[in-house]
Amino acid sequence: NTKMALAYRERILKALPKGKDFTPLMTLYMTDKTSPEDIKEAKASGHVYAVKLYPKGVTTNSDSGVTDIKNVYPAMEEMAKVGMPLLIHGEVFTRSVDFFDREKVFLKEVMEPVVAAHPKLKIVMEHITTEDAVKFVSACGPNVGATITPHHLLYNRNAIFNKGLCPHLFCLPILKREKHRVALVAAATSGNPKFFAGTDSAPHPKTKKESACGCAGCYVGFASVELYAETFAQQGALSKLPGFLCSQGAKFYGLAPQTGKKLKLEKKAWKVPAEFELGDDVVVPIRAGDEIEWTLTLL
């Protein structure tokens, strides 16, 4: 609820090192019990900008997620009224559905009815992974957009099994076939304002990734801009990168664009550390021990 979101925001601000300029944009976690009143309160707070929807059980920390999409239709109606976006993890959690088809089935069973029932609701399909999702979002009206991660642009599902099982490339939604990666790259580098960056960075401790039942998520936040740059450079589309990273998403979410700070990208390779400290544990980043082709500096 909003009270919990605001308390979390205060903890973030208190933990922020002095001199760091960072504004947390808070969201609500939608459950079956999220009500129109909850949405009104969130909007009135001035600090809650969207609502996240996870189908129950579909990914890490989704045990309190939505069990039936129609349970939250009243909340969605209020979101459309007040202009609050819905951010969706777009997969079904049905054991009979093939693991690699969960997004495709979600489009048919959930997204189509939701878009039809709430034509004025802003919806973001977060971290899309398939050609099917690219086509779906492209065919919808301007109220439907999608984010794409750097790792889904750079890797296909073969990478998970390269020279053995690679737990640090296991994420949800899972990496897909090469044809889907190609479709994502085409969408990301097209300049279409419906598609924008969303890293889905997940710095899980090494002990929870390299285990008998490893959790899902890739840690890309340490170099997400540089990783995106690799894809855009490969496509000869670096001129489209600022829009994808900075303005297209902000415009869709209704946020004021940030000005006054500039970043410099330089084609200069550097070696990624094998791990980063994370409290009493460590986190293994994507590309650990290997190189990233671009270097980012703040001007």
Side-chain angles (χ1 to χ4, degrees):
N1 59 36
T2 299
K3 183 179 179 180
M4 296 169 69
L6 296 181
Y8 183 25
R9 180 178 183 273
E10 288 304 310
R11 294 198 300 274
I12 294 171
L13 293 174
K14 286 181 180 179
L16 197 64
K18 289 185 178 180
K20 294 293 183 181
D21 182 14
F22 176 75
T23 302
L25 305 178
M26 309 310 294
T27 62
L28 291 190
Y29 181 128
M30 182 170 275
T31 72
D32 285 336
K33 296 181 179 180
T34 301
S35 68
E37 289 69 30
D38 291 325
I39 302 303
K40 291 177 183 177
E41 182 182 9
K43 183 67 175 180
S45 75
H47 294 300
V48 178
Y49 292 86
V51 179
K52 301 267 285 188
L53 190 158
Y54 304 94
K56 181 179 173 64
V58 77
T59 190
T60 309
N61 297 324
S62 64
D63 291 342
S64 299
V66 174
T67 60
D68 185 330
I69 197 66
K70 291 185 178 180
N71 291 341
V72 291
Y73 270 20
M76 289 184 189
E77 291 172 4
E78 187 61 32
M79 290 171 65
K81 289 179 183 178
V82 301
M84 183 168 285
L86 176 66
L87 318 180
I88 298 181
H89 180 115
E91 294 185 287
V92 297
F93 188 60
T94 307
R95 298 193 183 278
S96 60
V97 175
D98 186 278
F99 200 78
F100 291 91
D101 292 334
R102 284 163 49 161
E103 183 171 284
K104 181 179 180 179
V105 173
F106 186 89
L107 293 170
K108 184 68 176 178
E109 294 187 354
V110 181
M111 281 300 295
E112 285 187 10
V114 167
V115 172
H118 307 281
K120 295 184 179 180
L121 175 64
K122 276 193 173 183
I123 302 172
V124 178
M125 279 197 72
E126 296 200 313
H127 41 62
I128 61 171
T129 63
T130 60
E131 180 183 34
D132 309 89
V134 169
K135 290 180 177 178
F136 178 87
V137 171
S138 298
C140 288
N143 62 309
V144 179
T147 62
I148 306 175
T149 76
H151 40 295
H152 286 99
L153 292 173
L154 290 166
Y155 301 101
N156 63 35
R157 65 185 187 179
N158 288 343
I160 305 171
F161 309 103
N162 182 30
K163 298 180 181 179
L165 183 63
C166 302
H168 301 289
L169 283 172
F170 170 56
C171 57
L172 290 175
I174 198 166
L175 300 174
K176 303 296 196 301
R177 291 179 180 271
E178 176 64 5
K179 73 168 187 175
H180 297 298
R181 188 194 71 82
V182 170
L184 295 175
V185 169
T189 60
S190 67
N192 186 335
K194 282 175 159 284
F195 300 101
F196 34 91
T199 66
D200 198 34
S201 186
H204 294 300
K206 181 178 180 179
T207 52
K208 291 189 176 181
K209 290 290 289 180
E210 298 179 10
S211 66
C213 187
C215 59
C218 298
Y219 179 43
V220 297
F222 71 100
S224 55
V225 173
E226 298 94 314
L227 291 167
Y228 278 124
E230 287 191 6
T231 294
F232 279 72
Q234 290 165 6
Q235 301 302 309
L238 279 174
S239 63
K240 303 287 182 64
L241 183 59
F244 181 80
L245 291 176
C246 305
S247 59
Q248 291 165 200
K251 184 176 181 180
F252 190 92
Y253 295 124
L255 301 172
Q258 298 297 305
T259 59
K261 291 185 178 180
K262 293 184 179 181
L263 300 173
K264 178 183 177 181
L265 268 174
E266 184 180 2
K267 187 69 180 296
K268 181 180 179 181
W270 55 283
K271 189 174 181 178
V272 178
E275 55 193 31
F276 292 100
E277 291 185 3
L278 182 68
D280 296 328
D281 210 319
V282 295
V283 59
V284 178
I286 204 168
R287 295 270 181 91
D290 291 329
E291 289 189 341
I292 290 178
E293 299 173 4
W294 292 82
T295 297
L296 182 71
T297 54
L298 177 63
L299 297 178

